[in-house]
Amino acid sequence: MTTMSVDRIIEDYLGRLDAALDRLPASRRRQLIAEITEHIEYGKSQLPDQTESAVRDLLDRVGQPEDIASEALAEEPQQVEKKLRHGWIVATPALVVLVLGGIGAWAVVAHDHQGTPPPRHVANTIPKTTTAPTSAPSTTAPTSAPSTTAPTSAPSTTVPAPTGPTLATCTSAVSSYYIPPVSWFDGGTISSDQGVGYGCMNQEMLANAMTSVVNAHATPTSAGVASGQYALNSAGQIIVPNGEVIALYQDVCNVEPTSTLCVNG
Amino acid sequence: MAQMRRGAIEYCVLALLRDRERYGFELTRALAESDGLVSSEGTVYPLLARLRQDELVETFWQESAQGPPRRYYRLTKKGREALETFVVQWNSFRNTVDTLIEGGGPP
């Protein structure tokens, strides 16, 4: 059993845990994963031989991800209920917009068909490709976020990077990334989710943590773009470290039209 | 019994922290090795999160000579007071139950 395959077993376990904790509020979920990751890494460092059986025994002692999730949900029923309610609050207007948008689009298409011949090719104004890197970033995620083409006059608002374990304190497979504080515009208020701030986790987990927070809220903020919590690519898409598109630049400016990023952009 | 165990575990955590701070691994292993108290080490962390949220415990990082920095848990003033209150109530409760079980209750 090689070191890499042992690390893979741990990664798989943490992936299962991440999925099992899906119903928890994002910050709690990240906090719990960070603590259990620390637990596993410490336990692993104490093993005389890091064999597959020893690591599996360690994970057995930690427990089944589903049991941990069940315990976590039992400890936080109010928060989960709140999250579910929030999901409906966000989803319901979105559904209405989607339905109305669909009706509107149908009306426009129907009108075009009556007056002019349909275009031979309708270009997608928002390309699907992104400029996000797929390789592992460096140990400090705020500076390892995808390169951005945001206007140089972007506001200087930054959220201090949290301190925590560095790559040297984590295994090669479960690399260390900062989870930057994520800010969002949520119905008139700009908020920030500090979460645990950091932890030993791989790029996929980092991206999941970022997107789960962003998906739980309305729109990322221009300050978030400026501080590298999200990146802005040349297509005007707001993306998280794995390159996933989470919003459009225009969406941010629609809710923050007076921000420096939008005024000067 | 499960409900009683669940209610008691958090005070067991506070009791483990009464005399000194402990890091997560040490704390959860001590609880997991106490017969029948918790099903696994990982299930203690949601409880620790709640205790921290309730300001009964707090965490801090400390360098370790044997590896990476560790997150330690320690009792807060509020946590110490909660533990002291529980100890009084528990002793009374335990004595009552013991009396009933061993002697069959008052004549």
Side-chain angles (χ1 to χ4, degrees), chain A residues 124-142:
Chain A
N124 186 352
T125 54
I126 304 295
K128 291 291 182 190
T129 56
T130 71
T131 56
T134 54
S135 59
S138 64
T139 55
T140 53

Side-chain angles (χ1 to χ4, degrees), chain B residues 18-36:
Chain B
R18 179 171 43 201
D19 297 327
R20 66 179 175 90
E21 59 263 25
R22 295 172 187 257
Y23 54 97
F25 188 92
E26 180 189 17
L27 191 55
T28 57
R29 182 144 289 189
L31 285 167
E33 288 177 350
S34 301
D35 191 29

Side-chain angles (χ1 to χ4, degrees), chain A residues 13 28 31-32 34-36 38-40 42-46 58 60-64 67-76 79 163-165 169 196 198, chain B residues 6 9-10 23-29 32-33 39-54 59 61 64 66-71 73:
Chain A
Y13 177 89
R28 293 279 171 229
Q31 181 183 53
L32 196 49
E35 287 180 328
I36 290 179
E38 289 162 21
H39 181 103
I40 293 170
Y42 178 79
K44 185 182 157 208
S45 73
Q46 298 301 302
L58 171 69
D60 283 347
R61 296 189 71 141
V62 176
Q64 290 296 315
D67 293 340
I68 296 171
S70 174
E71 197 66 33
L73 288 169
E75 289 287 353
E76 305 200 23
Q79 283 86 343
T163 57
T169 65
V196 289
Y198 51 83
Chain B
R6 174 181 286 277
I9 288 172
E10 67 179 84
Y23 54 97
F25 188 92
E26 180 189 17
L27 191 55
T28 57
R29 182 144 289 189
E33 288 177 350
S39 58
S40 65
E41 294 167 5
T43 56
V44 180
Y45 284 100
L47 169 62
L48 288 172
R50 206 242 307 152
L51 292 178
R52 189 166 44 199
Q53 190 180 358
D54 293 346
T59 60
W61 286 91
S64 166
Q66 299 175 329
R70 296 174 186 166
R71 188 199 308 259
Y73 294 81

Side-chain angles (χ1 to χ4, degrees), chain A residues 132-187:
Chain A
T134 54
S135 59
S138 64
T139 55
T140 53
T143 57
S144 67
S147 61
T148 169
T149 55
T152 52
S153 58
S156 58
T157 307
T158 56
V159 183
T163 57
T166 62
L167 187 62
T169 65
C170 300
T171 69
S172 57
V174 185
S175 303
S176 175
Y177 291 96
Y178 286 106
I179 304 174
V182 177
S183 63
W184 65 87
F185 184 91
D186 210 357

Side-chain angles (χ1 to χ4, degrees), chain B residues 29-99:
Chain B
R29 182 144 289 189
L31 285 167
E33 288 177 350
S34 301
D35 191 29
L37 210 50
V38 296
S39 58
S40 65
E41 294 167 5
T43 56
V44 180
Y45 284 100
L47 169 62
L48 288 172
R50 206 242 307 152
L51 292 178
R52 189 166 44 199
Q53 190 180 358
D54 293 346
E55 299 177 345
L56 298 175
V57 303
E58 60 189 6
T59 60
F60 64 98
W61 286 91
Q62 189 163 300
E63 294 296 331
S64 166
Q66 299 175 329
R70 296 174 186 166
R71 188 199 308 259
Y72 277 77
Y73 294 81
R74 70 180 160 212
L75 214 51
T76 62
K77 184 172 180 287
K78 187 178 172 185
R80 193 170 296 280
E81 289 168 356
L83 177 62
E84 286 168 1
T85 302
F86 175 78
V87 168
V88 172
Q89 292 173 341
W90 175 259
N91 285 336
S92 171
F93 173 77
R94 186 188 57 198
N95 289 340
T96 303
V97 173
D98 283 350
T99 302

